[in-house]
PDB file of all heavy atoms in Angstrom:
ATOM      1  N   GLY Z   1      -7.753 -25.273  25.907  1.00  0.00           N
ATOM      2  CA  GLY Z   1      -7.721 -24.822  27.287  1.00  0.00           C
ATOM      3  C   GLY Z   1      -7.303 -23.387  27.494  1.00  0.00           C
ATOM      4  O   GLY Z   1      -7.022 -22.960  28.604  1.00  0.00           O
ATOM      5  N   PHE Z   2      -7.228 -22.611  26.391  1.00  0.00           N
ATOM      6  CA  PHE Z   2      -6.799 -21.228  26.522  1.00  0.00           C
ATOM      7  C   PHE Z   2      -8.008 -20.306  26.413  1.00  0.00           C
ATOM      8  O   PHE Z   2      -9.105 -20.709  26.015  1.00  0.00           O
ATOM      9  CB  PHE Z   2      -5.770 -20.893  25.432  1.00  0.00           C
ATOM     10  CG  PHE Z   2      -4.504 -21.695  25.582  1.00  0.00           C
ATOM     11  CD1 PHE Z   2      -4.323 -22.867  24.881  1.00  0.00           C
ATOM     12  CD2 PHE Z   2      -3.494 -21.272  26.419  1.00  0.00           C
ATOM     13  CE1 PHE Z   2      -3.141 -23.610  25.009  1.00  0.00           C
ATOM     14  CE2 PHE Z   2      -2.311 -22.000  26.554  1.00  0.00           C
ATOM     15  CZ  PHE Z   2      -2.145 -23.159  25.851  1.00  0.00           C
ATOM     16  N   ASN Z   3      -7.799 -19.041  26.729  1.00  0.00           N
ATOM     17  CA  ASN Z   3      -8.902 -18.075  26.724  1.00  0.00           C
ATOM     18  C   ASN Z   3      -9.339 -17.721  25.323  1.00  0.00           C
ATOM     19  O   ASN Z   3      -8.723 -18.115  24.331  1.00  0.00           O
ATOM     20  CB  ASN Z   3      -8.462 -16.803  27.467  1.00  0.00           C
ATOM     21  CG  ASN Z   3      -8.267 -17.057  28.936  1.00  0.00           C
ATOM     22  OD1 ASN Z   3      -8.627 -18.102  29.468  1.00  0.00           O
ATOM     23  ND2 ASN Z   3      -7.684 -16.078  29.628  1.00  0.00           N
ATOM     24  N   ASN Z   4     -10.399 -16.901  25.245  1.00  0.00           N
ATOM     25  CA  ASN Z   4     -10.855 -16.294  23.989  1.00  0.00           C
ATOM     26  C   ASN Z   4     -11.299 -17.297  22.950  1.00  0.00           C
ATOM     27  O   ASN Z   4     -10.988 -17.152  21.767  1.00  0.00           O
ATOM     28  CB  ASN Z   4      -9.755 -15.384  23.417  1.00  0.00           C
ATOM     29  CG  ASN Z   4      -9.171 -14.444  24.449  1.00  0.00           C
ATOM     30  OD1 ASN Z   4      -9.865 -13.626  25.021  1.00  0.00           O
ATOM     31  ND2 ASN Z   4      -7.878 -14.593  24.698  1.00  0.00           N
ATOM     32  N   ALA Z   5     -12.009 -18.332  23.371  1.00  0.00           N
ATOM     33  CA  ALA Z   5     -12.546 -19.301  22.422  1.00  0.00           C
ATOM     34  C   ALA Z   5     -13.619 -18.608  21.570  1.00  0.00           C
ATOM     35  O   ALA Z   5     -14.540 -17.974  22.098  1.00  0.00           O
ATOM     36  CB  ALA Z   5     -13.126 -20.513  23.139  1.00  0.00           C
ATOM     37  N   MET Z   6     -13.491 -18.733  20.253  1.00  0.00           N
ATOM     38  CA  MET Z   6     -14.401 -18.090  19.321  1.00  0.00           C
ATOM     39  C   MET Z   6     -14.746 -19.080  18.214  1.00  0.00           C
ATOM     40  O   MET Z   6     -13.968 -19.974  17.896  1.00  0.00           O
ATOM     41  CB  MET Z   6     -13.775 -16.814  18.713  1.00  0.00           C
ATOM     42  CG  MET Z   6     -13.557 -15.695  19.711  1.00  0.00           C
ATOM     43  SD  MET Z   6     -15.128 -14.996  20.272  1.00  0.00           S
ATOM     44  CE  MET Z   6     -14.519 -13.796  21.484  1.00  0.00           C
ATOM     45  N   PRO Z   7     -15.901 -18.887  17.547  1.00  0.00           N
ATOM     46  CA  PRO Z   7     -16.283 -19.787  16.448  1.00  0.00           C
ATOM     47  C   PRO Z   7     -15.403 -19.588  15.225  1.00  0.00           C
ATOM     48  O   PRO Z   7     -14.678 -18.592  15.110  1.00  0.00           O
ATOM     49  CB  PRO Z   7     -17.735 -19.409  16.152  1.00  0.00           C
ATOM     50  CG  PRO Z   7     -17.871 -18.014  16.658  1.00  0.00           C
ATOM     51  CD  PRO Z   7     -16.978 -17.902  17.851  1.00  0.00           C
ATOM     52  N   PHE Z   8     -15.502 -20.508  14.273  1.00  0.00           N
ATOM     53  CA  PHE Z   8     -14.651 -20.493  13.086  1.00  0.00           C
ATOM     54  C   PHE Z   8     -14.849 -19.217  12.264  1.00  0.00           C
ATOM     55  O   PHE Z   8     -13.909 -18.732  11.646  1.00  0.00           O
ATOM     56  CB  PHE Z   8     -14.961 -21.728  12.207  1.00  0.00           C
ATOM     57  CG  PHE Z   8     -14.024 -21.869  11.054  1.00  0.00           C
ATOM     58  CD1 PHE Z   8     -12.810 -22.510  11.187  1.00  0.00           C
ATOM     59  CD2 PHE Z   8     -14.394 -21.381   9.806  1.00  0.00           C
ATOM     60  CE1 PHE Z   8     -11.942 -22.646  10.113  1.00  0.00           C
ATOM     61  CE2 PHE Z   8     -13.527 -21.515   8.710  1.00  0.00           C
ATOM     62  CZ  PHE Z   8     -12.299 -22.163   8.880  1.00  0.00           C
ATOM     63  N   TRP Z   9     -16.084 -18.678  12.258  1.00  0.00           N
ATOM     64  CA  TRP Z   9     -16.377 -17.530  11.413  1.00  0.00           C
ATOM     65  C   TRP Z   9     -15.955 -16.187  12.041  1.00  0.00           C
ATOM     66  O   TRP Z   9     -16.227 -15.117  11.470  1.00  0.00           O
ATOM     67  CB  TRP Z   9     -17.861 -17.488  11.102  1.00  0.00           C
ATOM     68  CG  TRP Z   9     -18.773 -17.624  12.298  1.00  0.00           C
ATOM     69  CD1 TRP Z   9     -19.395 -18.760  12.730  1.00  0.00           C
ATOM     70  CD2 TRP Z   9     -19.157 -16.583  13.224  1.00  0.00           C
ATOM     71  NE1 TRP Z   9     -20.123 -18.502  13.860  1.00  0.00           N
ATOM     72  CE2 TRP Z   9     -19.998 -17.177  14.198  1.00  0.00           C
ATOM     73  CE3 TRP Z   9     -18.848 -15.231  13.330  1.00  0.00           C
ATOM     74  CZ2 TRP Z   9     -20.556 -16.465  15.245  1.00  0.00           C
ATOM     75  CZ3 TRP Z   9     -19.399 -14.506  14.377  1.00  0.00           C
ATOM     76  CH2 TRP Z   9     -20.236 -15.126  15.317  1.00  0.00           C
ATOM     77  N   PHE Z  10     -15.312 -16.214  13.196  1.00  0.00           N
ATOM     78  CA  PHE Z  10     -14.985 -14.974  13.928  1.00  0.00           C
ATOM     79  C   PHE Z  10     -14.147 -14.017  13.093  1.00  0.00           C
ATOM     80  O   PHE Z  10     -14.481 -12.828  12.953  1.00  0.00           O
ATOM     81  CB  PHE Z  10     -14.270 -15.331  15.237  1.00  0.00           C
ATOM     82  CG  PHE Z  10     -13.808 -14.130  16.001  1.00  0.00           C
ATOM     83  CD1 PHE Z  10     -14.698 -13.320  16.668  1.00  0.00           C
ATOM     84  CD2 PHE Z  10     -12.448 -13.800  16.086  1.00  0.00           C
ATOM     85  CE1 PHE Z  10     -14.264 -12.223  17.413  1.00  0.00           C
ATOM     86  CE2 PHE Z  10     -12.006 -12.707  16.807  1.00  0.00           C
ATOM     87  CZ  PHE Z  10     -12.925 -11.911  17.464  1.00  0.00           C
ATOM     88  N   PHE Z  11     -13.056 -14.509  12.511  1.00  0.00           N
ATOM     89  CA  PHE Z  11     -12.147 -13.598  11.787  1.00  0.00           C
ATOM     90  C   PHE Z  11     -12.759 -13.068  10.488  1.00  0.00           C
ATOM     91  O   PHE Z  11     -12.569 -11.887  10.174  1.00  0.00           O
ATOM     92  CB  PHE Z  11     -10.814 -14.288  11.541  1.00  0.00           C
ATOM     93  CG  PHE Z  11      -9.952 -14.345  12.766  1.00  0.00           C
ATOM     94  CD1 PHE Z  11      -9.321 -15.530  13.132  1.00  0.00           C
ATOM     95  CD2 PHE Z  11      -9.779 -13.252  13.568  1.00  0.00           C
ATOM     96  CE1 PHE Z  11      -8.540 -15.586  14.271  1.00  0.00           C
ATOM     97  CE2 PHE Z  11      -8.988 -13.289  14.704  1.00  0.00           C
ATOM     98  CZ  PHE Z  11      -8.374 -14.468  15.060  1.00  0.00           C
ATOM     99  N   PRO Z  12     -13.457 -13.885   9.676  1.00  0.00           N
ATOM    100  CA  PRO Z  12     -14.160 -13.276   8.546  1.00  0.00           C
ATOM    101  C   PRO Z  12     -15.117 -12.162   8.960  1.00  0.00           C
ATOM    102  O   PRO Z  12     -15.203 -11.139   8.271  1.00  0.00           O
ATOM    103  CB  PRO Z  12     -14.919 -14.461   7.917  1.00  0.00           C
ATOM    104  CG  PRO Z  12     -14.085 -15.655   8.281  1.00  0.00           C
ATOM    105  CD  PRO Z  12     -13.550 -15.360   9.659  1.00  0.00           C
ATOM    106  N   ALA Z  13     -15.795 -12.350  10.077  1.00  0.00           N
ATOM    107  CA  ALA Z  13     -16.719 -11.312  10.551  1.00  0.00           C
ATOM    108  C   ALA Z  13     -15.951 -10.046  10.963  1.00  0.00           C
ATOM    109  O   ALA Z  13     -16.369  -8.920  10.678  1.00  0.00           O
ATOM    110  CB  ALA Z  13     -17.542 -11.835  11.734  1.00  0.00           C
ATOM    111  N   VAL Z  14     -14.808 -10.228  11.642  1.00  0.00           N
ATOM    112  CA  VAL Z  14     -13.996  -9.077  12.055  1.00  0.00           C
ATOM    113  C   VAL Z  14     -13.520  -8.294  10.834  1.00  0.00           C
ATOM    114  O   VAL Z  14     -13.620  -7.056  10.778  1.00  0.00           O
ATOM    115  CB  VAL Z  14     -12.781  -9.541  12.884  1.00  0.00           C
ATOM    116  CG1 VAL Z  14     -11.777  -8.417  13.069  1.00  0.00           C
ATOM    117  CG2 VAL Z  14     -13.246 -10.050  14.236  1.00  0.00           C
ATOM    118  N   LEU Z  15     -13.010  -8.985   9.832  1.00  0.00           N
ATOM    119  CA  LEU Z  15     -12.546  -8.299   8.604  1.00  0.00           C
ATOM    120  C   LEU Z  15     -13.683  -7.599   7.898  1.00  0.00           C
ATOM    121  O   LEU Z  15     -13.528  -6.494   7.393  1.00  0.00           O
ATOM    122  CB  LEU Z  15     -11.879  -9.311   7.668  1.00  0.00           C
ATOM    123  CG  LEU Z  15     -10.473  -9.774   8.038  1.00  0.00           C
ATOM    124  CD1 LEU Z  15     -10.002 -10.834   7.070  1.00  0.00           C
ATOM    125  CD2 LEU Z  15      -9.504  -8.591   8.034  1.00  0.00           C
ATOM    126  N   LEU Z  16     -14.843  -8.235   7.874  1.00  0.00           N
ATOM    127  CA  LEU Z  16     -16.000  -7.643   7.209  1.00  0.00           C
ATOM    128  C   LEU Z  16     -16.391  -6.344   7.877  1.00  0.00           C
ATOM    129  O   LEU Z  16     -16.567  -5.303   7.215  1.00  0.00           O
ATOM    130  CB  LEU Z  16     -17.172  -8.622   7.229  1.00  0.00           C
ATOM    131  CG  LEU Z  16     -18.478  -8.143   6.592  1.00  0.00           C
ATOM    132  CD1 LEU Z  16     -18.290  -7.945   5.098  1.00  0.00           C
ATOM    133  CD2 LEU Z  16     -19.610  -9.120   6.880  1.00  0.00           C
ATOM    134  N   VAL Z  17     -16.520  -6.349   9.187  1.00  0.00           N
ATOM    135  CA  VAL Z  17     -16.959  -5.162   9.917  1.00  0.00           C
ATOM    136  C   VAL Z  17     -15.892  -4.079   9.872  1.00  0.00           C
ATOM    137  O   VAL Z  17     -16.193  -2.895   9.645  1.00  0.00           O
ATOM    138  CB  VAL Z  17     -17.310  -5.541  11.375  1.00  0.00           C
ATOM    139  CG1 VAL Z  17     -17.564  -4.276  12.211  1.00  0.00           C
ATOM    140  CG2 VAL Z  17     -18.515  -6.473  11.405  1.00  0.00           C
ATOM    141  N   ALA Z  18     -14.637  -4.462  10.086  1.00  0.00           N
ATOM    142  CA  ALA Z  18     -13.559  -3.478  10.178  1.00  0.00           C
ATOM    143  C   ALA Z  18     -13.231  -2.817   8.855  1.00  0.00           C
ATOM    144  O   ALA Z  18     -12.611  -1.749   8.828  1.00  0.00           O
ATOM    145  CB  ALA Z  18     -12.310  -4.132  10.748  1.00  0.00           C
ATOM    146  N   SER Z  19     -13.606  -3.420   7.732  1.00  0.00           N
ATOM    147  CA  SER Z  19     -13.277  -2.846   6.418  1.00  0.00           C
ATOM    148  C   SER Z  19     -14.510  -2.446   5.642  1.00  0.00           C
ATOM    149  O   SER Z  19     -14.461  -2.296   4.399  1.00  0.00           O
ATOM    150  CB  SER Z  19     -12.469  -3.864   5.614  1.00  0.00           C
ATOM    151  OG  SER Z  19     -13.147  -5.098   5.495  1.00  0.00           O
ATOM    152  N   LEU Z  20     -15.644  -2.247   6.315  1.00  0.00           N
ATOM    153  CA  LEU Z  20     -16.897  -1.940   5.612  1.00  0.00           C
ATOM    154  C   LEU Z  20     -16.809  -0.770   4.639  1.00  0.00           C
ATOM    155  O   LEU Z  20     -17.328  -0.860   3.518  1.00  0.00           O
ATOM    156  CB  LEU Z  20     -18.007  -1.682   6.649  1.00  0.00           C
ATOM    157  CG  LEU Z  20     -18.749  -2.909   7.174  1.00  0.00           C
ATOM    158  CD1 LEU Z  20     -19.757  -2.513   8.254  1.00  0.00           C
ATOM    159  CD2 LEU Z  20     -19.473  -3.633   6.027  1.00  0.00           C
ATOM    160  N   PRO Z  21     -16.172   0.379   5.021  1.00  0.00           N
ATOM    161  CA  PRO Z  21     -16.163   1.495   4.065  1.00  0.00           C
ATOM    162  C   PRO Z  21     -15.494   1.159   2.732  1.00  0.00           C
ATOM    163  O   PRO Z  21     -15.813   1.748   1.706  1.00  0.00           O
ATOM    164  CB  PRO Z  21     -15.383   2.585   4.817  1.00  0.00           C
ATOM    165  CG  PRO Z  21     -15.549   2.238   6.253  1.00  0.00           C
ATOM    166  CD  PRO Z  21     -15.587   0.748   6.308  1.00  0.00           C
ATOM    167  N   ALA Z  22     -14.535   0.213   2.748  1.00  0.00           N
ATOM    168  CA  ALA Z  22     -13.813  -0.109   1.508  1.00  0.00           C
ATOM    169  C   ALA Z  22     -14.430  -1.233   0.735  1.00  0.00           C
ATOM    170  O   ALA Z  22     -14.112  -1.431  -0.446  1.00  0.00           O
ATOM    171  CB  ALA Z  22     -12.353  -0.450   1.849  1.00  0.00           C
ATOM    172  N   LEU Z  23     -15.330  -1.996   1.351  1.00  0.00           N
ATOM    173  CA  LEU Z  23     -15.834  -3.206   0.712  1.00  0.00           C
ATOM    174  C   LEU Z  23     -16.636  -2.944  -0.588  1.00  0.00           C
ATOM    175  O   LEU Z  23     -16.560  -3.735  -1.521  1.00  0.00           O
ATOM    176  CB  LEU Z  23     -16.682  -3.999   1.691  1.00  0.00           C
ATOM    177  CG  LEU Z  23     -15.910  -4.792   2.743  1.00  0.00           C
ATOM    178  CD1 LEU Z  23     -16.869  -5.589   3.612  1.00  0.00           C
ATOM    179  CD2 LEU Z  23     -14.901  -5.737   2.104  1.00  0.00           C
ATOM    180  N   PRO Z  24     -17.421  -1.870  -0.686  1.00  0.00           N
ATOM    181  CA  PRO Z  24     -18.130  -1.644  -1.957  1.00  0.00           C
ATOM    182  C   PRO Z  24     -17.210  -1.581  -3.164  1.00  0.00           C
ATOM    183  O   PRO Z  24     -17.555  -2.095  -4.228  1.00  0.00           O
ATOM    184  CB  PRO Z  24     -18.852  -0.309  -1.716  1.00  0.00           C
ATOM    185  CG  PRO Z  24     -19.037  -0.243  -0.240  1.00  0.00           C
ATOM    186  CD  PRO Z  24     -17.807  -0.887   0.351  1.00  0.00           C
ATOM    187  N   TRP Z  25     -16.037  -0.961  -3.006  1.00  0.00           N
ATOM    188  CA  TRP Z  25     -15.097  -0.837  -4.140  1.00  0.00           C
ATOM    189  C   TRP Z  25     -14.491  -2.204  -4.449  1.00  0.00           C
ATOM    190  O   TRP Z  25     -14.259  -2.518  -5.634  1.00  0.00           O
ATOM    191  CB  TRP Z  25     -14.018   0.175  -3.822  1.00  0.00           C
ATOM    192  CG  TRP Z  25     -14.623   1.418  -3.246  1.00  0.00           C
ATOM    193  CD1 TRP Z  25     -14.478   1.901  -1.976  1.00  0.00           C
ATOM    194  CD2 TRP Z  25     -15.558   2.275  -3.874  1.00  0.00           C
ATOM    195  NE1 TRP Z  25     -15.229   3.014  -1.795  1.00  0.00           N
ATOM    196  CE2 TRP Z  25     -15.910   3.288  -2.947  1.00  0.00           C
ATOM    197  CE3 TRP Z  25     -16.128   2.329  -5.158  1.00  0.00           C
ATOM    198  CZ2 TRP Z  25     -16.788   4.307  -3.244  1.00  0.00           C
ATOM    199  CZ3 TRP Z  25     -17.029   3.350  -5.449  1.00  0.00           C
ATOM    200  CH2 TRP Z  25     -17.348   4.323  -4.525  1.00  0.00           C
ATOM    201  N   LEU Z  26     -14.272  -3.016  -3.428  1.00  0.00           N
ATOM    202  CA  LEU Z  26     -13.761  -4.358  -3.665  1.00  0.00           C
ATOM    203  C   LEU Z  26     -14.769  -5.182  -4.474  1.00  0.00           C
ATOM    204  O   LEU Z  26     -14.401  -5.843  -5.459  1.00  0.00           O
ATOM    205  CB  LEU Z  26     -13.506  -5.037  -2.317  1.00  0.00           C
ATOM    206  CG  LEU Z  26     -12.997  -6.473  -2.351  1.00  0.00           C
ATOM    207  CD1 LEU Z  26     -11.598  -6.508  -2.961  1.00  0.00           C
ATOM    208  CD2 LEU Z  26     -12.979  -7.066  -0.943  1.00  0.00           C
ATOM    209  N   VAL Z  27     -16.026  -5.103  -4.113  1.00  0.00           N
ATOM    210  CA  VAL Z  27     -17.087  -5.868  -4.803  1.00  0.00           C
ATOM    211  C   VAL Z  27     -17.297  -5.321  -6.210  1.00  0.00           C
ATOM    212  O   VAL Z  27     -17.302  -6.066  -7.202  1.00  0.00           O
ATOM    213  CB  VAL Z  27     -18.391  -5.842  -3.999  1.00  0.00           C
ATOM    214  CG1 VAL Z  27     -19.504  -6.530  -4.787  1.00  0.00           C
ATOM    215  CG2 VAL Z  27     -18.193  -6.512  -2.647  1.00  0.00           C
ATOM    216  N   LEU Z  28     -17.458  -4.004  -6.324  1.00  0.00           N
ATOM    217  CA  LEU Z  28     -17.730  -3.402  -7.625  1.00  0.00           C
ATOM    218  C   LEU Z  28     -16.590  -3.645  -8.600  1.00  0.00           C
ATOM    219  O   LEU Z  28     -16.787  -3.974  -9.772  1.00  0.00           O
ATOM    220  CB  LEU Z  28     -17.965  -1.904  -7.480  1.00  0.00           C
ATOM    221  CG  LEU Z  28     -19.278  -1.478  -6.804  1.00  0.00           C
ATOM    222  CD1 LEU Z  28     -19.284   0.021  -6.545  1.00  0.00           C
ATOM    223  CD2 LEU Z  28     -20.470  -1.883  -7.679  1.00  0.00           C
ATOM    224  N   GLY Z  29     -15.359  -3.478  -8.148  1.00  0.00           N
ATOM    225  CA  GLY Z  29     -14.218  -3.626  -9.034  1.00  0.00           C
ATOM    226  C   GLY Z  29     -14.016  -5.031  -9.530  1.00  0.00           C
ATOM    227  O   GLY Z  29     -13.747  -5.246 -10.720  1.00  0.00           O
ATOM    228  N   HIS Z  30     -14.191  -6.009  -8.667  1.00  0.00           N
ATOM    229  CA  HIS Z  30     -13.942  -7.388  -9.091  1.00  0.00           C
ATOM    230  C   HIS Z  30     -15.136  -8.028  -9.780  1.00  0.00           C
ATOM    231  O   HIS Z  30     -15.007  -9.075 -10.401  1.00  0.00           O
ATOM    232  CB  HIS Z  30     -13.481  -8.222  -7.888  1.00  0.00           C
ATOM    233  CG  HIS Z  30     -12.081  -7.903  -7.474  1.00  0.00           C
ATOM    234  ND1 HIS Z  30     -10.963  -8.217  -8.227  1.00  0.00           N
ATOM    235  CD2 HIS Z  30     -11.595  -7.221  -6.374  1.00  0.00           C
ATOM    236  CE1 HIS Z  30      -9.863  -7.797  -7.614  1.00  0.00           C
ATOM    237  NE2 HIS Z  30     -10.238  -7.185  -6.496  1.00  0.00           N
ATOM    238  N   LEU Z  31     -16.310  -7.350  -9.687  1.00  0.00           N
ATOM    239  CA  LEU Z  31     -17.432  -7.824 -10.484  1.00  0.00           C
ATOM    240  C   LEU Z  31     -17.512  -7.121 -11.821  1.00  0.00           C
ATOM    241  O   LEU Z  31     -18.223  -7.562 -12.703  1.00  0.00           O
ATOM    242  CB  LEU Z  31     -18.753  -7.578  -9.711  1.00  0.00           C
ATOM    243  CG  LEU Z  31     -18.997  -8.465  -8.484  1.00  0.00           C
ATOM    244  CD1 LEU Z  31     -20.319  -8.091  -7.834  1.00  0.00           C
ATOM    245  CD2 LEU Z  31     -18.998  -9.939  -8.877  1.00  0.00           C
ATOM    246  N   GLY Z  32     -16.789  -6.009 -11.932  1.00  0.00           N
ATOM    247  CA  GLY Z  32     -16.830  -5.232 -13.175  1.00  0.00           C
ATOM    248  C   GLY Z  32     -16.017  -5.880 -14.273  1.00  0.00           C
ATOM    249  O   GLY Z  32     -15.375  -6.900 -14.090  1.00  0.00           O
ATOM    250  N   THR Z  33     -16.047  -5.246 -15.451  1.00  0.00           N
ATOM    251  CA  THR Z  33     -15.334  -5.817 -16.604  1.00  0.00           C
ATOM    252  C   THR Z  33     -14.447  -4.794 -17.278  1.00  0.00           C
ATOM    253  O   THR Z  33     -14.095  -4.939 -18.444  1.00  0.00           O
ATOM    254  CB  THR Z  33     -16.357  -6.326 -17.638  1.00  0.00           C
ATOM    255  OG1 THR Z  33     -17.251  -5.256 -17.998  1.00  0.00           O
ATOM    256  CG2 THR Z  33     -17.165  -7.476 -17.082  1.00  0.00           C
ATOM    257  N   ARG Z  34     -14.077  -3.733 -16.536  1.00  0.00           N
ATOM    258  CA  ARG Z  34     -13.262  -2.712 -17.168  1.00  0.00           C
ATOM    259  C   ARG Z  34     -11.786  -3.049 -17.069  1.00  0.00           C
ATOM    260  O   ARG Z  34     -11.388  -3.949 -16.361  1.00  0.00           O
ATOM    261  CB  ARG Z  34     -13.511  -1.363 -16.515  1.00  0.00           C
ATOM    262  CG  ARG Z  34     -14.952  -0.874 -16.585  1.00  0.00           C
ATOM    263  CD  ARG Z  34     -15.038   0.544 -16.103  1.00  0.00           C
ATOM    264  NE  ARG Z  34     -16.420   0.946 -15.899  1.00  0.00           N
ATOM    265  CZ  ARG Z  34     -16.798   2.150 -15.513  1.00  0.00           C
ATOM    266  NH1 ARG Z  34     -15.892   3.071 -15.295  1.00  0.00           N
ATOM    267  NH2 ARG Z  34     -18.073   2.422 -15.333  1.00  0.00           N
ATOM    268  N   GLN Z  35     -11.008  -2.270 -17.707  1.00  0.00           N
ATOM    269  CA  GLN Z  35      -9.545  -2.240 -17.716  1.00  0.00           C
ATOM    270  C   GLN Z  35      -8.872  -3.537 -17.290  1.00  0.00           C
ATOM    271  O   GLN Z  35      -8.739  -3.837 -16.123  1.00  0.00           O
ATOM    272  CB  GLN Z  35      -9.041  -1.097 -16.809  1.00  0.00           C
ATOM    273  CG  GLN Z  35      -7.572  -0.804 -17.080  1.00  0.00           C
ATOM    274  CD  GLN Z  35      -7.200   0.559 -16.591  1.00  0.00           C
ATOM    275  OE1 GLN Z  35      -8.032   1.417 -16.350  1.00  0.00           O
ATOM    276  NE2 GLN Z  35      -5.908   0.790 -16.474  1.00  0.00           N
ATOM    277  N   GLY Z  36      -8.462  -4.281 -18.235  1.00  0.00           N
ATOM    278  CA  GLY Z  36      -7.689  -5.495 -17.979  1.00  0.00           C
ATOM    279  C   GLY Z  36      -8.523  -6.752 -18.013  1.00  0.00           C
ATOM    280  O   GLY Z  36      -7.985  -7.851 -18.113  1.00  0.00           O
ATOM    281  N   GLU Z  37      -9.848  -6.620 -17.915  1.00  0.00           N
ATOM    282  CA  GLU Z  37     -10.739  -7.770 -17.965  1.00  0.00           C
ATOM    283  C   GLU Z  37     -10.309  -8.889 -16.996  1.00  0.00           C
ATOM    284  O   GLU Z  37     -10.425 -10.057 -17.297  1.00  0.00           O
ATOM    285  CB  GLU Z  37     -10.801  -8.332 -19.404  1.00  0.00           C
ATOM    286  CG  GLU Z  37     -11.385  -7.354 -20.412  1.00  0.00           C
ATOM    287  CD  GLU Z  37     -12.856  -7.035 -20.138  1.00  0.00           C
ATOM    288  OE1 GLU Z  37     -13.551  -7.920 -19.592  1.00  0.00           O
ATOM    289  OE2 GLU Z  37     -13.301  -5.944 -20.477  1.00  0.00           O
ATOM    290  N   GLY Z  38      -9.796  -8.457 -15.872  1.00  0.00           N
ATOM    291  CA  GLY Z  38      -9.455  -9.449 -14.848  1.00  0.00           C
ATOM    292  C   GLY Z  38      -8.135 -10.164 -15.077  1.00  0.00           C
ATOM    293  O   GLY Z  38      -7.830 -11.129 -14.387  1.00  0.00           O
ATOM    294  N   SER Z  39      -7.314  -9.703 -16.067  1.00  0.00           N
ATOM    295  CA  SER Z  39      -6.023 -10.371 -16.324  1.00  0.00           C
ATOM    296  C   SER Z  39      -5.090 -10.133 -15.133  1.00  0.00           C
ATOM    297  O   SER Z  39      -5.167  -9.108 -14.463  1.00  0.00           O
ATOM    298  CB  SER Z  39      -5.424  -9.814 -17.616  1.00  0.00           C
ATOM    299  OG  SER Z  39      -5.158  -8.428 -17.482  1.00  0.00           O
ATOM    300  N   ASP Z  40      -4.217 -11.079 -14.931  1.00  0.00           N
ATOM    301  CA  ASP Z  40      -3.285 -11.006 -13.801  1.00  0.00           C
ATOM    302  C   ASP Z  40      -1.956 -11.634 -14.227  1.00  0.00           C
ATOM    303  O   ASP Z  40      -1.554 -12.660 -13.714  1.00  0.00           O
ATOM    304  CB  ASP Z  40      -3.885 -11.738 -12.601  1.00  0.00           C
ATOM    305  CG  ASP Z  40      -3.035 -11.596 -11.334  1.00  0.00           C
ATOM    306  OD1 ASP Z  40      -2.327 -10.576 -11.210  1.00  0.00           O
ATOM    307  OD2 ASP Z  40      -3.118 -12.497 -10.492  1.00  0.00           O
ATOM    308  N   PRO Z  41      -1.287 -10.998 -15.219  1.00  0.00           N
ATOM    309  CA  PRO Z  41      -0.116 -11.657 -15.815  1.00  0.00           C
ATOM    310  C   PRO Z  41       1.017 -11.936 -14.836  1.00  0.00           C
ATOM    311  O   PRO Z  41       1.748 -12.913 -15.004  1.00  0.00           O
ATOM    312  CB  PRO Z  41       0.335 -10.643 -16.904  1.00  0.00           C
ATOM    313  CG  PRO Z  41      -0.235  -9.334 -16.480  1.00  0.00           C
ATOM    314  CD  PRO Z  41      -1.538  -9.670 -15.796  1.00  0.00           C
ATOM    315  N   ASP Z  42       1.188 -11.120 -13.821  1.00  0.00           N
ATOM    316  CA  ASP Z  42       2.285 -11.331 -12.867  1.00  0.00           C
ATOM    317  C   ASP Z  42       1.822 -12.024 -11.596  1.00  0.00           C
ATOM    318  O   ASP Z  42       2.615 -12.237 -10.675  1.00  0.00           O
ATOM    319  CB  ASP Z  42       2.955  -9.996 -12.533  1.00  0.00           C
ATOM    320  CG  ASP Z  42       3.665  -9.416 -13.733  1.00  0.00           C
ATOM    321  OD1 ASP Z  42       4.426 -10.170 -14.371  1.00  0.00           O
ATOM    322  OD2 ASP Z  42       3.455  -8.229 -14.044  1.00  0.00           O
TER     323      ASP Z  42
END
């Protein structure tokens, strides 16, 4: 009964649009295989 009803995908879409300039590095880095090979010891 409150205002601003939005679909479930609203926030993923907001993050996607608002962070577009940085997203290529996020995708490239985590798909790549350099330095550390994806290890996450801590």
Side-chain angles (χ1 to χ4, degrees):
F2 296 94
N3 292 350
N4 311 300
M6 293 292 177
F8 186 85
W9 49 262
F10 176 72
F11 285 133
V14 168
L15 284 176
L16 178 67
V17 172
S19 56
L20 274 176
L23 284 183
W25 315 114
L26 179 66
V27 175
L28 289 172
H30 287 290
L31 289 180
T33 56
R34 300 189 192 182
Q35 195 160 342
E37 297 295 331
S39 62
D40 186 27
D42 294 311

